[in-house]
């Protein structure tokens, strides 16, 4: 054992390695990404790791390995669980041989997601047991316990941290590599009754699962992850909390009162016996949790089932907000209110108007040039721009304003087709990133071809999965095992399924890019443009652009047209921040006065 | 002794590394440490923060309002944004530097002078770091984090030795000299 300062996600990875995990796969997504990356960095040579092309494939790869007796960890964010839900719902019925832990990171807020869905609710829906860690140390311990539980009962098991647990760091105690469990997979043993899902088998499996979960409800009451924090003085009020909210409640408890507190670490199956012991003697309970009122519903149900008169407060009766993140202070305020205490929270100082600072495409981002080229090419034409999930969602911001829709991974292509079939005189565009293209766009291209849609697919290929921190994908030609492999060609895929018009262009060559868009968009049917230019974070800057103060006419075209964060306006002239500029040269190409020198060229200074 | 530290700035300014270095130095001294970072979309030029909590008996990495002993600001407006977290009498060390958001370049609405004036008026224990000048002298706009860490080094409750060791162990060798120069700039220019 030794101490390490680890992020929650790193702790989860280290826990899986300590449990002797044989295979780890997943698809990147904030806040889950660092789990798999840490496995890749810290794994023993025999541990296999891959970024799969999407969560559904990852879940299936994981299932195959677990069928073969391997211990597997599959990682994703909550949105990814939707993509993977088809195989997961079925694997729960079929069962596994090797331990299978499904790591799904939830995102209260939401901070980096489309929805505030709750994997604890998904656990009840899918009948998959679920661990909910509140700290990095607990996450480390829970992952190991999750593997044991999975193997004991032959079921996948969820571990679901939320953002603050995933991205919180702590100095935690972890095993030395010599203490790691060693697990040798038995291999796949043929048994069609077990591994082939059939209605009759599913009926029997359903019965088995319900019986098991009823038994787990009892077992979970003894789990160290569920416990009652004893009260200081006997009272009639209690707090129930799980996840990061448990740490907020414990912080508030130190200041307010040593009130009786139920800590729930396994929201499904719920530790009923323990919860009944907690409810005993109480009049009222405040449930402190994020996303869905899972603990609150369970306690309310238990009160009904056992004829208890304890009043359960939380999201359902408006006591707690039903959306967004809790904070140390919001929990302290709610608990103080509930306990009739005065919280020591200073009055917020009155601040001057603060800058609004939404995330933006980086200075020099090739996506900016791509959006701008399409915008110029289609100016004055009736056009809809369907966006997608990735950095390029930020193309919606002013002044580009080039994302009219955004839904979920790969959805832009389908939406463009739906708009076309309803409104055939509209030019429909779908923008998709390179990683998203491989993850979920290809079937939609085939659908469009087959069903005679007319739209322009724009693949924004920056040669990486940028938003989540630069993971490799099939187009990059390198794997998480460190191998160099033949890259899958985006143009090859498109032509292979039958597209005849596929053009590739560098978006930073503005004139050529505009001309290409005009030409391709005029074609009938499904056609594609691949804008290829690497993400600024994985390429060397080509230098810096510079404004010639004498030549600048102060027209603001550069600022008002492209919205680059390196450009600002001071004393009637455009100014370029050399700390941000990468020398992409887009501004110098659009400056009507020729006042911006491209990278590498001498600019006349004032 | 417990200490709560908030680092704040704009995505891309290097708050995460500075936070890592403080935590690594605390680990060297055997001080329990927890921290929390903004990771994800906000890293693309949005408002970002790190919370660091040093000492025993800490339940959560998140710092409550009015609980921060030190706010280390990488940008004027972002420093002001975090002031509600400052403990009464808490210290603020901030880069005297503004990063203009695209929204403000387009439509106005950000006056860095007003931010500086507000800090000077409301924070008794304030150090404004001449970041533009220092970074020009250091020859790189990329070491704001180590520059500010140098200015904060005496206020973290950690020894300079453990901070230096943390820097040596966590900064890539080819940038080490530059980062050490940025860290020692404060001491050399007091």
């Amino acid at each position: 054992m030794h101490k390490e300062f680890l992020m929650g996600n790193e702790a989860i990875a280290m826990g899986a390695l300590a449990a002797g995990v044989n295979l780890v796969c997943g698809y990147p997504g904030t806040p889950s990404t660092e789990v798999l990356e840490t496995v890749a960095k810290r794994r023993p040579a025999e541990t296999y790791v891959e970024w799969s092309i999407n969560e559904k494939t990852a879940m299936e790869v994981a299932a195959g390995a677990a069928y073969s007796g391997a211990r597997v960890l599959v990682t994703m964010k909550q949105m990814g669980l939707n993509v993977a839900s088809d195989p997961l719902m079925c694997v729960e019925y079929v069962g596994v041989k090797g331990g299978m832990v499904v790591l799904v990171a939830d995102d209260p807020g939401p901070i980096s997601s489309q929805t505030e869905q709750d994997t604890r609710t998904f656990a009840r829906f899918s009948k998959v047991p679920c661990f909910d860690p509140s700290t990095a140390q607990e996450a480390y311990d829970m992952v190991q316990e999750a593997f044991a539980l999975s193997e004991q009962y032959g079921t996948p098991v969820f571990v679901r941290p939320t953002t603050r647990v995933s991205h919180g760091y702590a100095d935690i105690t972890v095993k030395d590599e010599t203490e790691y469990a060693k697990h040798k997979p038995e291999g796949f043993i043929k048994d069609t009754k077990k591994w082939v899902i059939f209605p009759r088998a599913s009926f029997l499996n359903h019965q088995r699962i319900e019986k098991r979960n009823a038994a787990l409800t009892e077992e979970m009451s003894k789990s160290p992850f569920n416990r009652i924090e004893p009260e200081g003085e006997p009272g009639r009020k209690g707090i129930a909390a799980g996840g990061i909210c448990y740490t907020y409640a414990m912080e508030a408890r130190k200041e307010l009162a040593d009130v009786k507190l139920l800590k729930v670490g396994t929201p499904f199956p719920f530790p009923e016996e323990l919860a009944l012991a907690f409810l005993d003697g109480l009049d009222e309970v405040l449930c402190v949790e994020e996303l869905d009122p899972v603990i609150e519903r369970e306690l309310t149900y238990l009160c009904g089932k056992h004829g208890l008169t304890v009043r359960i407060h939380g999201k359902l009766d408006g006591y707690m907000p039903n959306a967004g993140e809790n904070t140390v202070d919001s929990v302290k305020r709610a608990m103080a209110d509930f306990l009739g205490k005065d919280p020591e929270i200073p009055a917020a100082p009155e601040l001057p108007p603060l800058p609004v600072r939404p995330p933006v495409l980086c200075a020099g981002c090739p996506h900016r040039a791509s959006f701008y080229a399409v915008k110029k090419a289609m100016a004055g034409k009736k056009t809809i721009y369907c966006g997608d999930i990735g950095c390029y969602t930020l193309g919606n911001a002013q002044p580009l304003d080039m994302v009219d829709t955004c839904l979920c991974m790969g959805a832009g292509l389908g939406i463009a087709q739906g708009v076309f079939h309803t409104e055939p005189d509209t030019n429909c565009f779908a923008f998709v990133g390179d990683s998203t293209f491989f993850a979920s766009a290809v079937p939609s291209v085939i659908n469009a071809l087959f069903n005679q849609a007319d739209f322009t697919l724009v693949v924004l290929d920056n040669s990486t999965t940028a938003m989540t921190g630069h993971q490799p994908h099939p187009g990059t030609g390198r794997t998480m095992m460190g191998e160099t492999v033949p890259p899958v060609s985006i143009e090859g895929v498109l032509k292979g399924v039958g597209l005849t018009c596929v053009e590739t262009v560098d978006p930073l060559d503005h004139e050529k890019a505009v001309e290409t868009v005009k030409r391709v968009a005029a074609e009938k049917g499904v056609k594609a443009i691949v804008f290829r230019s690497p993400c600024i974070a994985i390429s060397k800057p080509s230098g810096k652009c510079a404004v010639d103060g004498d030549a600048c006419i102060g027209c603001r075209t550069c600022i008002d047209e492209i919205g680059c964060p390196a450009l600002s306006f001071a004393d009637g002239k455009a100014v370029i921040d050399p700390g941000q500029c990468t020398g992409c040269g887009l501004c110098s190409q659009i400056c009507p006065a020729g006042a911006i020198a491209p990278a590498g060229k001498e600019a006349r200074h004032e | 002794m417990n200490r709560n530290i908030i680092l704040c700035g704009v995505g891309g300014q290097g708050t995460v590394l500075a936070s890592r270095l403080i935590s690594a130095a605390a680990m060297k001294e055997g001080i329990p440490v927890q921290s929390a970072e903004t990771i994800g979309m906000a890293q693309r030029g949005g408002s970002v923060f790190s919370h660091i909590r040093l000492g025993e008996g800490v339940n959560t990495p998140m710092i409550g309002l009015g609980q921060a002993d030190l706010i280390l600001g990488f940008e004027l407006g972002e420093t002001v944004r975090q002031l509600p977290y400052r403990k009464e009498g808490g210290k603020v060390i901030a880069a005297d530097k503004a990063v203009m958001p695209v929204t403000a370049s387009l439509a106005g609405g950000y006056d860095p002078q007003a931010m500086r004036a507000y800090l000077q008026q409301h924070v008794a224990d304030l150090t404004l770091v001449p970041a533009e000048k220092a970074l020009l002298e250091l020859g790189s706009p990329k070491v704001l984090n180590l520059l500010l860490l140098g200015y904060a080094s005496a206020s973290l409750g950690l020894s300079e030795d453990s901070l230096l060791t943390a820097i040596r162990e966590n900064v890539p060798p080819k940038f080490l000299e530059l980062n050490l120069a940025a860290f020692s700039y404060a001491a050399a220019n007091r």
Side-chain angles (χ1 to χ4, degrees):
Chain A
M1 294 284 204
H2 64 281
K3 282 231 168 201
E4 276 195 52
F5 185 64
L6 294 175
M7 183 196 274
N9 280 346
E10 294 172 331
I12 289 163
M14 298 304 282
L17 292 174
V21 71
N22 302 107
L23 179 144
V24 183
C25 54
Y27 188 75
T30 312
S32 71
T33 312
E34 298 83 4
V35 175
L36 192 141
E37 289 181 325
T38 305
V39 169
K41 261 181 241 155
R42 304 287 298 264
R43 71 187 167 90
E46 63 274 17
T47 309
Y48 175 81
V49 59
E50 73 168 42
W51 280 125
S52 309
I53 61 152
N54 59 35
E55 295 87 351
K56 173 174 152 65
T57 305
M59 190 70 76
E60 290 153 356
V61 169
Y67 288 0
S68 309
R71 289 191 178 146
V72 301
L73 173 70
V74 53
T75 77
M76 62 200 66
K77 68 183 294 179
Q78 93 281 26
M79 307 312 304
L81 179 59
N82 301 338
V83 178
S85 62
D86 196 359
L88 180 66
M89 295 299 291
C90 302
V91 170
E92 170 56 13
Y93 271 62
V94 168
V96 293
K97 188 161 73 177
M100 177 169 172
V101 174
V102 183
L103 183 283
V104 184
D106 282 353
D107 184 21
I111 300 170
S112 316
S113 305
Q114 305 103 293
T115 74
E116 280 203 290
Q117 67 189 65
D118 193 325
T119 299
R120 298 175 304 164
T121 300
F122 204 106
R124 169 167 283 287
F125 169 58
S126 60
K127 310 183 192 300
V128 173
C130 179
F131 288 89
D132 184 13
S134 56
T135 63
Q137 181 75 61
E138 194 175 44
Y140 178 79
D141 299 336
M142 273 182 176
V143 170
Q144 295 172 73
E145 181 58 31
F147 273 106
L149 188 82
S150 172
E151 252 164 44
Q152 187 183 346
Y153 292 96
T155 174
V157 174
F158 280 126
V159 175
R160 80 62 107 153
T162 56
T163 305
R164 300 297 175 201
V165 174
S166 280
H167 289 163
Y169 285 82
D171 49 342
I172 71 166
T173 307
V174 296
K175 287 178 181 159
D176 301 332
E177 205 173 322
T178 49
E179 298 170 276
Y180 287 3
K182 292 269 181 262
H183 180 74
K184 196 171 175 336
E186 183 189 21
F188 184 80
I189 311 282
K190 289 194 183 193
D191 179 357
T192 54
K193 283 208 187 85
K194 177 153 182 59
W195 304 123
V196 180
I197 195 164
F198 265 121
R200 175 65 195 162
S202 292
F203 168 72
L204 296 172
N205 278 329
H206 189 183
Q207 290 181 322
R208 176 183 55 78
I209 291 164
E210 296 298 347
K211 202 170 149 193
R212 177 202 74 208
N213 281 346
L216 272 179
T217 293
E218 277 180 38
E219 195 169 312
M220 288 308 184
S221 288
K222 296 173 212 129
S223 161
F225 302 121
N226 299 310
R227 58 179 178 269
I228 298 169
E229 304 284 353
E231 59 212 319
E233 287 169 28
R236 311 288 294 172
K237 290 182 173 183
I239 304 286
I244 192 73
C245 297
Y246 162 74
T247 72
Y248 299 162
M250 289 302 281
E251 199 82 23
R253 196 168 167 264
K254 280 194 291 203
E255 189 183 310
L256 299 170
D258 284 343
V259 62
K260 194 178 185 186
L261 187 147
L262 174 67
K263 188 244 181 228
V264 180
T266 66
F268 181 79
F270 198 75
E272 287 193 6
E273 219 169 294
L274 184 77
L276 285 172
F278 163 74
L279 292 169
D280 186 36
L282 296 180
D283 293 334
E284 286 183 273
V285 171
L286 176 65
C287 299
V288 182
E289 57 191 322
E290 289 169 326
L291 306 174
D292 290 346
V294 170
I295 298 172
E296 186 183 356
R297 281 207 174 99
E298 291 287 358
L299 293 180
T300 306
Y301 157 79
L302 273 183
C303 288
K305 185 174 167 185
H306 295 272
L308 306 176
T309 52
V310 189
R311 288 197 58 192
I312 310 297
H313 302 290
K315 291 165 179 278
L316 295 171
D317 64 352
Y319 221 101
M320 300 293 287
N322 55 16
E325 258 197 306
N326 290 333
T327 65
V328 179
D329 298 295
S330 73
V331 168
K332 197 199 285 183
R333 273 200 199 95
M335 279 173 57
D337 193 24
F338 174 67
L339 298 169
K341 303 262 182 182
D342 204 9
E344 282 176 39
I345 299 175
E350 210 164 295
L351 300 180
L354 290 165
V356 183
R357 207 183 287 280
V360 289
L361 293 172
C362 301
C365 175
H367 297 336
R368 175 178 294 104
S370 302
F371 282 124
Y372 189 62
V374 176
K375 187 175 186 172
K376 292 314 264 186
M378 300 308 290
K381 297 197 170 81
K382 190 183 175 196
T383 312
I384 179 170
Y385 303 111
C386 302
D388 225 294
I389 305 290
C391 284
Y392 50 100
T393 313
L394 299 174
N396 79 316
Q398 295 295 343
L400 289 173
D401 188 19
M402 283 295 285
V403 176
D404 295 322
T405 72
C406 179
L407 189 66
C408 62
M409 289 285 288
L413 289 82
I415 291 173
Q417 295 166 47
V419 171
F420 162 74
H421 291 304
T422 313
E423 208 177 276
D425 63 331
T426 300
N427 291 284
C428 299
F429 276 72
F431 293 94
V432 68
D434 42 349
S435 184
T436 308
F437 174 81
F438 290 113
S440 52
V442 179
S444 213
V445 175
I446 300 170
N447 185 68
L449 268 174
F450 169 53
N451 290 303
Q452 301 296 297
D454 184 329
F455 82 103
T456 307
L457 172 65
V458 179
V459 184
L460 303 168
D461 181 4
N462 61 0
S463 303
T464 188
T465 316
M467 178 99 270
T468 47
H470 310 289
Q471 291 74 30
H473 61 63
T476 64
R478 61 195 166 84
T479 71
M480 279 313 262
M481 292 298 281
E483 301 149 317
T484 303
V485 296
V488 178
S489 154
I490 293 170
E491 291 89 337
V493 169
L494 291 171
K495 287 176 183 161
V497 300
L499 259 67
T500 50
C501 177
V502 179
E503 294 216 24
T504 303
V505 64
D506 177 359
L508 297 176
D509 184 344
H510 180 61
E511 207 172 308
K512 193 170 168 202
V514 172
E515 182 246 320
T516 306
V517 176
K518 282 183 178 163
R519 194 174 59 245
V520 173
E523 297 281 329
K524 289 272 161 247
V526 187
K527 57 269 180 184
I529 301 160
V530 179
F531 280 120
R532 181 163 291 129
S533 182
C535 174
I536 56 139
I538 58 162
S539 57
K540 269 202 161 76
S542 52
K544 310 217 175 288
C545 295
V547 178
D548 174 351
D550 291 337
C552 176
I553 54 172
C555 68
R556 293 183 55 99
T557 299
C558 54
I559 288 164
D560 294 342
E561 288 284 294
I562 59 176
C564 173
L567 280 164
S568 59
F569 202 67
D571 304 326
K573 306 277 182 190
V575 182
I576 292 175
D577 173 8
Q580 292 194 63
C581 180
T582 66
C584 80
L586 181 62
C587 58
S588 75
Q589 293 174 70
I590 66 162
C591 175
I596 305 179
K601 298 276 160 52
E602 271 300 302
R604 283 178 294 131
H605 287 287
E606 277 177 285
Chain B
M1 178 199 50
N2 282 56
R3 206 171 283 254
N4 294 330
I5 303 161
I6 290 181
L7 279 62
C8 58
V10 178
Q13 283 190 308
T15 52
V16 174
L17 176 65
S19 158
R20 276 301 306 233
L21 293 173
I22 294 170
S23 303
M27 287 280 286
K28 296 263 166 234
E29 300 188 16
I31 299 170
V33 52
Q34 294 193 36
S35 75
E37 314 279 359
T38 316
I39 292 170
M41 200 178 239
Q43 287 178 295
R44 307 278 175 269
S47 303
V48 296
F49 64 79
S50 296
H51 286 194
I52 308 171
R53 306 193 65 190
L54 308 178
E56 302 281 349
V58 172
N59 290 100
T60 185
M62 306 304 291
I63 297 170
L65 295 167
Q67 302 286 324
D69 300 281
L70 168 67
I71 293 177
L72 189 55
F74 285 51
E75 201 272 347
L76 286 166
E78 295 312 313
T79 309
V80 174
R81 200 189 301 279
Q82 296 295 326
L83 282 183
Y85 286 93
R86 187 174 63 112
K87 188 177 273 181
E88 206 183 318
K91 183 188 274 292
V92 174
I93 299 173
D96 192 1
K97 171 186 168 64
V99 177
M100 198 56 71
V102 172
T103 47
S105 292
L106 286 170
Y110 181 28
D111 178 8
Q113 308 277 9
M115 299 297 147
R116 186 186 301 116
Y118 184 90
L119 287 170
Q120 284 165 336
Q121 202 183 335
H122 291 86
V123 181
D125 193 350
L126 172 72
T127 306
L128 282 175
V129 176
E132 304 275 8
K133 174 174 166 281
L135 295 176
L136 211 61
E137 286 175 30
L138 289 162
S140 167
K142 306 281 187 198
V143 286
L144 178 63
N145 48 7
L146 270 288
L147 175 73
L148 289 172
L149 197 59
Y151 275 88
S153 67
S155 316
L156 300 169
L158 301 168
S159 81
E160 181 150 326
D161 269 356
S162 43
L163 283 165
L164 281 167
T165 313
I167 294 168
R168 289 203 182 90
E169 288 178 2
N170 288 282
V171 171
K174 71 172 169 172
F175 301 118
L176 184 59
E177 199 181 329
L178 174 64
N179 278 279
L180 287 172
F183 180 73
S184 50
Y185 183 92
N189 290 272
R190 276 231 166 84

